[in-house]
Each structure stands twice: as C-alpha cells, then as structure tokens.
Amino acid sequence: MSAPSVRPVSEREARQVAEAAREQGWKKPSFAKELFLGRFRLDLIHPYPTPAPEDVRRGEEFLARLRDFCETRIDSARIEREARIPDETVRGLKELGALGMKIDVKYGGLGLTQVYYNKALTLVGSVSPVVGALLSAHQSIGVPQPVKLFGTQEQKDLFLPRCARTDISAFLLTEPDVGSDPARLATSAVPDGDDYVLDGVKLWTTNGVVADLLVVMARVPRSEGHKGGITAFVVEATAEGVTVENRNAFMGLRGIENGVTRFHQVRVPAAHRIGPEGAGLKIALTTLNTGRLSIPAMCVSAGKWCLKISREWSAAREQWGKSIARHEAVGSKISFIAATTFALEAILDLSSQMADEDRNDIRIEAALAKLYGSEMAWLMTDELVQIRGGRGYESAASLAARGERAVPAEQMLRDARINRIFEGSTEIMHLLIAREAVDAHLSVAGDLIDPEKSLGDKARAGARAGGFYARWLPKLVAGPGQLPTSYTAFHPAGCRDLSGHLRYVERSSRRLARSTFYAMSRWQGRLETKQGFLGRVVDIGAELFAMSAACVRAERLRSEGAHGTEAYELADAFCRQARVRADELFARLWTNTDGVDRKVVGRVMSGSYEWLEAGILDPSGDGPWIADATPGPSKAENVHRPVD
C-alpha cells in the first residue's frame, strides 16, 4: 500500500485550504477585532478581569513548589553545556505534576488556569527556556489540548491521565517541504479496515525525540465512505514503523529534543483519530488560539530577566565618572526594556484571563500577543547584549572561567531568536492576523472582488457592501478620542495621566480602519498580495492593543493598591514609546519602498545581480536544499529515547 504522490498545489488551492480551516464565524465579541474595525471597545477589557480566589490559591501553591524545583533541580548551565535536559530533571517534572498543569484534576492533572499555566512557563523559562519549550510543546500544542477540545470521552479517559503524569507528547505537522502551506501536506493516512496506515516524514518535531505520544497531521485520500482531507491522529511513538531519524541541533535552545520522524506503514486505530476526517487543520488552528500564549509567556520571562541584569550591571559599571545607566544612550535602552516588559506582562495576563473566562473570542488577541511578544523579546535581549558590551557577547562559561559573574546574555539572545519562528513566523502571523482583521470587509464584499464569481453574485455583493459601508464609514469620522474629557478615570490623583493615551488609541483605531478601507478600495482583490501594507496594519493594531492592555493593567494595580503609582509611570512611558512607533507605521502605510523592493527582488531572482556576489567563498556543505522525504522504510538508526 503506497502513499499517494504529492501533486503541485496552486496558490488559489492553497488559500482555499487555509480558508476552510479558519473559524468562519464570530460567536463572541473580540476586543482586537473591533479595534481593527475602528471601534475601541474598552468595556471588553476594563475593568481588568481577575481570576477566581480558588484558582489563585491553587495556582500560587503550585508556583511555590515549582520555584523550589527550578532553584534546586534545574541546572541551566548543564543543559546548555550537554545540549540535553538530564533525565532526572524530566522525571522530577513528572513527579511534580508539571506535565499536567492544564489537565483537569479528574484525569490526574493540576487543573491550573491559563493565567497560572503561563505564570509557570514564565518562571521555568527564566531558568531554562529549553525546559519551558518541553512543557509548552507537550501541553499547549501536544496531545492534551486537542484531545481536551475535540476528543471523545474514551480518548480523554485513555490519553489525558497518561499525559498528566507519565507521557510526554509532541505535535507533528511540518514536513521537509511543507511549512505554513498545509495544502501541500504529503504524509498520508490510508484507511484499511478499522485502522489507518500512515506513511510520510515529519520535520522539527519538538519533543519528538523523547515523546511517548504524538499528534500527527496526515492526509486521508477521498474514497467511498471517507470524506478525506487533513486529519489529526494520536499515535504511539513506539508503534512499529515509527523512527526518529535525527535529533536536530540549533543555534539556541541547545537542549531541545527536536527531531525528524518517519512513518512507514504505521497502523493507527480509527479510534485514535481526533475529530472527523478533514478537520485536522481546524483542530490545529483552534488549539493554537490559546496555545500560542505560551510563546509570550516565555518572552515575558526574557524581559524580566533582561531588566534585572541591565539594572544590576548598570549599577556596577561606571564610565566617565557615573553609572552607565546615567548616560542617555544606555538609559534609553533600560527604559525601553522596563516599559516593554510591563506591557508584555499586561498583554499576557489580559489575554490569558480572557481565555479562562471564555467570554470573548481571543483568536486575534492571542496571535497579537505571540507576534508582539516575540518581536519585542528579541529587541530587549539584543539591547541587553549591547548594554553589557563585550561581556554580552562572551559566554557565561568564559565569564566564569576568568572570575566574573556567569551572565548568559548571549545564550538568551540565541534562545529568544526562535520565538519569531515558532508556532507561526512573524511573516505568517502578519498574514493570519490581517486575514482576521479584514474579515468584516471580505464577508460583505468578498464576492465583489472574486474574479470567479458571476455578475449576479457581484451585484448582490455590491448591494451588501453598499449597505455595510453606509452604516460603518460615518462612525469612523468622530469619536470619544477627540473629547478631552474621555477616559478621565485613567487620570487619578497623584498618578500620571493615561487618559490621553487611550484617546490616542481610540482615534488611531478609527484611522486604521479608514486606511484599511482605502486600501480595499484601491487594490480590491490585490490587497492580499500587499503583504508589506498588511503587515504594517497588523503592527499598528499590535501597538494599540499593547497600549490598551498596559493602561488597564496599571489601573487595576492602582485600584488594588499594588505599585499603582509605579505602574502608571511604566504604562505612560510605554505608551509614549508605542505612539512613536505607531505614528511611524502610519506614515509608512503610504510612503514606503514596497514597489521598488518588488522590482529589485525580481532582478535578484532573475540573476541580474549575480555579479554582486563575486569575491567570496561559500562555506556551506554539499547536499540538497530540501531533504528527500520519499515515503518508505527508514534506513537510519532510531534515536528515540523516552524518559521513564
């Protein structure tokens, strides 16, 4: 029984597959969706939501145990040196219950909320991002989450107790020649009686080297009685025909258990299929709606650590008679790190609490948190290395060898770099968020700009669009952001004034919506190809979301009597910095080099500029750009090593 050959997929077909996997409707309100539409719905996030007392008690008790474990049982220097998490550390995490943080107590888990799960990842990530990645890949996108959301009761009873205490899981979607374009997925799952037979190769399987259970996305061919399509399966990692062919190594996260996994004639019971055939991508995307929040949790830990090190180092290091922090060139970097860390934690806590309450649709908020967190964490770690100077570039082991504090700044920079790629690269996140941001426009005018629709369809779409825009556009002209008395609750006595920042957000939200409408009018169906423009739209929305989260968090801290004055100071500083970035992005919506860049790229790819590459030698090794992934039996040694 051979796997079907992979046929070329057109751009339109690829978009159709991705579109079919989206959640089509909006059954719950979304703060970020409204923000992109020019409606600043502060009521959806303020008052800042708070967790239930019992959730807090249970979460804080676990954090105390986890903190002790991190201090005594995780040796981050050893993990970096040996490029592996020691087995005794993994066993300790299992005993602690850390594998089951998000799994319900009735299945043997801890039943933590999203808020406390992310607090735990922030804590672990500050000690070892590698351990954080193991826990995150297992629970955020591995077996527990899709089974919890889409599994049968039998699957929950079978798999969740194992995942809570003993079994590590992994998520397998990417293939050697398939990344963010799942329409080209080649791994097949051919029905055979009560089983499916899997054939194919999966790349970058985080946790795959040590996993006991795998979530595998494979294509079921359409046949009689089978709808077919990309489908999700739970596969035993020790099943016959499963081979981990390579343990991959990276510039950062050197202890991560990431590999290449081959499936050859692997029999999977139909009872282990999650959801119906063809629902695999929708399951994956829905899982990621909250699963993506694990990335900003790690980014918050990076920000907090960067702030601590930059403060302590700047107090110790003097140049020209004063602390380097007192020199504006360095001080501005420290201000950026402090203000941005405050905002990232605000975004994370707000999005996590909204996920727990389940009152709002947070698919855009979670995506923005991942996008913004990963970009800002990279900038903060880069600035820390610059603040540390030569010591920032020197390894912690080298620093220790010559008698100085072993500060792993260069390691943090290497470790943080993957966050801009993990679970959707920055470029892909821009496109995903942009698609959701323009959803309202496409819902009413989609047929109007679709070249394959009939004249009748276009006429009906035109009528719908006319009615929608007649109601919507007038609301973008004026709003509370133009009234000096708006949002005065955010200017309490003795604190900085945040009301002006919220008025800016409200005005900018309407401005952003008008800009999107102008772009729709100008480019129509070609708007989806204007990725530079759409990326800037998303980045503006991210800044506005971050400003909103920072302000409401500051007010919550003030109302609770917890560092309120200081929180207002940080929120004010962040908003001032964010406004500069947003104004620059607004200017670049219409004044940019996108057209020139496209022409240069065309010339580069045609070979016109090959002469510019003269005078160098390429140290790259031989071999194909993309490894052969032809289905068949493995010829490699199985490097799978589960931790008992």
Side-chain angles (χ1 to χ4, degrees):
M1 188 182 306
S2 61
S5 59
V6 181
R7 62 178 177 83
V9 176
S10 69
E11 182 179 355
R12 182 173 181 81
E13 287 175 302
R15 288 200 305 269
Q16 288 174 336
V17 169
E19 188 66 17
R22 286 181 59 248
E23 288 185 70
Q24 300 294 324
W26 293 86
K27 299 177 182 177
K28 299 174 184 176
S30 164
F31 173 79
K33 174 177 177 287
E34 295 293 301
L35 196 66
F36 281 109
L37 284 172
R39 299 190 285 251
F40 180 45
R41 291 286 308 278
L42 186 62
D43 60 294
L44 293 177
I45 61 172
H46 176 70
Y48 198 94
T50 56
E54 176 57 24
D55 292 336
V56 173
R57 183 195 63 77
R58 189 166 61 247
E60 292 294 339
E61 287 180 354
F62 175 71
L63 285 181
R65 298 196 303 273
L66 182 62
R67 176 176 289 273
D68 179 70
F69 182 89
C70 290
E71 290 176 339
T72 60
R73 305 280 297 278
I74 298 179
D75 186 342
S76 58
R78 179 184 173 187
I79 293 172
E80 175 72 4
R81 184 172 61 252
E82 298 179 357
R84 176 168 294 178
I85 303 173
D87 287 358
E88 58 267 28
T89 300
V90 177
R91 284 193 287 267
L93 290 168
K94 293 180 179 182
E95 294 165 2
L96 188 65
L99 295 187
M101 286 187 280
K102 289 186 68 179
I103 297 175
D104 196 290
V105 292
K106 66 183 178 183
Y107 299 112
L110 300 180
L112 298 187
T113 61
Q114 186 73 35
V115 167
Y116 274 95
Y117 169 66
N118 285 331
K119 287 182 181 295
L121 289 180
T122 298
L123 176 59
V124 172
S126 67
V127 180
S128 173
V130 173
V131 177
L134 181 141
L135 294 174
S136 170
H138 165 67
Q139 291 172 89
S140 297
I141 58 175
V143 171
Q145 193 70 1
V147 167
K148 171 187 174 182
L149 295 175
F150 299 98
T152 64
Q153 188 58 53
E154 291 75 15
Q155 289 171 340
K156 294 174 183 177
D157 292 339
L158 176 62
F159 297 121
L160 293 183
R162 292 172 57 183
C163 292
R165 291 287 174 178
T166 60
D167 289 19
I168 296 173
S169 67
F171 174 77
L172 281 63
L173 171 63
T174 304
E175 299 177 358
D177 199 23
V178 179
S180 298
D181 179 12
R184 301 173 62 248
L185 196 81
T187 298
S188 65
V190 179
D192 185 15
D194 293 331
D195 297 335
Y196 290 84
V197 180
L198 267 63
D199 282 278
V201 179
K202 296 293 185 179
L203 177 62
W204 296 324
T205 60
T206 301
N207 287 359
V209 179
V210 296
D212 304 283
L213 290 171
L214 314 171
V215 175
V216 181
M217 296 293 167
R219 185 183 301 280
V220 177
R222 184 187 296 272
S223 62
E224 185 177 351
H226 291 277
K227 175 185 176 183
I230 298 173
T231 306
F233 299 90
V234 179
V235 180
E236 298 280 355
T238 55
E240 184 177 353
V242 179
T243 306
V244 179
E245 295 189 329
N246 191 64
R247 183 179 186 271
N248 302 324
F250 303 96
M251 67 179 284
L253 297 183
R254 288 184 174 169
I256 193 172
E257 300 290 352
N258 181 294
V260 176
T261 303
R262 177 179 292 270
F263 300 90
H264 175 61
Q265 300 286 285
V266 179
R267 302 194 72 86
V268 180
H272 289 190
R273 186 190 70 216
I274 308 175
E277 290 182 359
L281 285 182
K282 183 164 289 188
I283 289 172
L285 290 177
T286 303
T287 298
L288 283 172
N289 280 345
T290 54
R292 282 198 178 99
L293 291 175
S294 63
I295 298 293
M298 310 287 273
C299 295
V300 167
S301 74
K304 287 175 176 286
W305 186 79
C306 288
L307 180 60
K308 179 179 185 295
I309 297 301
S310 62
R311 173 179 57 80
E312 294 177 350
W313 165 244
S314 298
R317 179 65 163 166
E318 289 189 0
Q319 289 282 289
W320 298 295
K322 58 184 177 181
S323 162
I324 60 172
R326 302 302 177 188
H327 293 282
E328 192 172 279
V330 174
S332 63
K333 299 179 188 299
I334 297 174
S335 173
F336 166 72
I337 292 171
T340 304
T341 298
F342 177 83
L344 288 190
E345 190 166 36
I347 292 171
L348 177 66
D349 284 355
L350 177 63
S351 300
S352 299
Q353 186 58 38
M354 287 196 294
D356 287 330
E357 293 183 350
D358 201 28
R359 287 189 295 110
N360 294 350
D361 187 323
I362 67 159
R363 74 181 86 159
I364 301 182
E365 286 83 348
L368 285 173
K370 189 275 176 188
L371 168 69
Y372 196 73
S374 60
E375 289 295 319
M376 288 302 180
W378 170 250
L379 291 176
M380 287 190 290
T381 52
D382 185 56
E383 293 288 40
L384 175 64
V385 169
Q386 192 70 19
I387 291 169
R388 288 275 289 161
R391 290 173 173 85
Y393 195 68
E394 189 174 3
S395 72
S398 178
L399 288 164
R402 60 183 186 79
E404 290 193 359
R405 183 175 299 185
V407 178
E410 61 84 26
Q411 179 190 334
M412 178 63 75
L413 188 69
R414 289 186 286 102
D415 288 346
R417 186 59 182 84
I418 189 59
N419 293 326
R420 299 179 63 216
I421 300 171
F422 258 166
E423 296 180 22
S425 69
T426 290
E427 293 72 24
I428 293 300
M429 296 307 299
H430 276 147
L431 297 181
L432 289 176
I433 298 168
R435 174 61 186 86
E436 300 296 351
V438 301
D439 182 58
H441 301 281
L442 294 180
S443 295
V444 298
D447 289 352
L448 192 62
I449 60 179
D450 188 336
E452 295 191 4
K453 293 298 181 179
S454 67
L455 290 177
D457 290 335
K458 290 180 181 292
R460 285 186 289 273
R464 287 196 307 272
F468 170 78
Y469 290 120
R471 295 188 302 272
W472 178 66
L473 285 172
K475 297 178 182 179
L476 302 182
V477 176
Q482 294 164 287
L483 301 176
T485 56
S486 297
Y487 313 114
T488 52
F490 288 84
H491 188 193
C495 291
R496 297 285 179 87
D497 184 4
L498 300 183
S499 64
H501 298 313
L502 291 177
R503 290 194 291 272
Y504 174 88
V505 172
E506 196 278 336
R507 293 193 306 273
S508 298
S509 173
R510 287 185 283 111
R511 182 184 178 187
L512 185 61
R514 292 195 302 269
S515 298
T516 305
F517 171 73
Y518 297 154
M520 287 282 294
S521 303
R522 177 177 176 179
W523 291 309
Q524 299 184 24
R526 292 184 294 123
L527 177 60
E528 67 181 22
T529 69
K530 305 297 181 180
Q531 295 179 0
F533 178 90
L534 292 174
R536 294 178 198 108
V537 166
V538 170
D539 286 339
I540 293 169
E543 295 288 1
L544 301 182
F545 177 44
M547 290 175 66
S548 305
C551 289
V552 297
R553 182 184 184 219
E555 174 57 19
R556 174 191 168 185
L557 292 176
R558 186 201 66 81
S559 66
E560 294 177 347
H563 309 292
T565 301
E566 296 87 350
Y568 261 70
E569 291 172 353
L570 288 168
D572 177 57
F574 173 77
C575 288
R576 290 176 185 273
Q577 295 167 8
R579 288 171 70 160
V580 172
R581 293 190 293 266
D583 286 342
E584 290 176 351
L585 287 164
F586 269 120
R588 289 175 55 210
L589 284 178
W590 309 108
T591 304
N592 53 63
T593 63
D594 292 350
V596 171
D597 294 341
R598 284 192 294 273
K599 292 178 182 178
V600 170
V601 169
R603 299 283 280 170
V604 168
M605 299 311 295
S606 70
S608 298
Y609 302 149
E610 279 192 46
W611 54 268
L612 191 58
E613 301 165 13
I616 64 164
L617 293 173
D618 182 358
S620 305
D622 295 330
W625 286 103
I626 299 171
D628 180 35
T630 303
S634 179
K635 300 176 183 177
E637 176 187 356
N638 190 355
V639 296
H640 180 238
R641 55 171 200 91
V643 182
D644 296 327

